Structures are given as structure tokens and as C-alpha cells.
Amino acid sequence: MGFKHVFDTDFGADLTIMEEGTELVERIKGGGKLPMFSSCCPGWVKFAEHNFPELLPNLSSCKSPQQMMAR
């Protein structure tokens, strides 16, 4: 079919988990904002941004697995 590689979204989920773990460790060591909230759903993040802006510093900066794979 012409493809050299095929990746499952689970690979993107693994990348997201590793990034979130790294971000959490950095927040704990550096005195960052805790608790850290994360979600693989961009809709949930959008909901939090619009309805709970006071929690924005607590949101993880990690992308969803789909966004990770797209990059």
C-alpha cells in the first residue's frame, strides 16, 4: 500500500503519559501548581477553560494522544 510505518494511537497515549509524568515531577520538585489536572480529551480542557478559568494554572500542558501522533 506504500506505507513504511503504521502507528496505533496507543503509542501516542504512551507518549502523553510519559510527558505528563515528567511535567508532574517538575512541578513537585520546582514548587509548581498542584494538583495537576490532565485529560486526553480536548473537549474537557475547553470546558475547564470556559467554566473554571481559575484552574488554568493546574491544567497539564500535555497534548492528547491524537495530537501527539499528529506531530
Side-chain angles (χ1 to χ4, degrees):
M1 295 184 76
F3 294 102
K4 291 184 181 180
H5 303 287
V6 176
F7 294 97
D8 190 293
T9 304
D10 289 337
F11 181 76
D14 290 343
L15 293 175
T16 300
I17 290 168
M18 290 188 295
E19 286 292 324
E20 287 176 340
T22 300
E23 182 178 0
L24 179 60
V25 168
E26 289 175 3
R27 285 186 187 205
I28 291 170
K29 287 183 176 179
K33 191 73 169 164
L34 295 172
M36 183 178 86
F37 299 122
S38 69
S39 175
C40 289
C41 175
W44 181 90
V45 174
K46 190 75 163 172
F47 172 80
E49 288 173 346
H50 285 270
N51 295 289
F52 301 99
E54 69 277 8
L55 296 179
L56 289 179
N58 295 81
L59 295 182
S60 171
S61 63
C62 294
K63 303 293 183 204
S64 72
Q66 295 86 351
Q67 291 168 321
M68 289 275 198
M69 288 301 294
R71 289 182 177 228

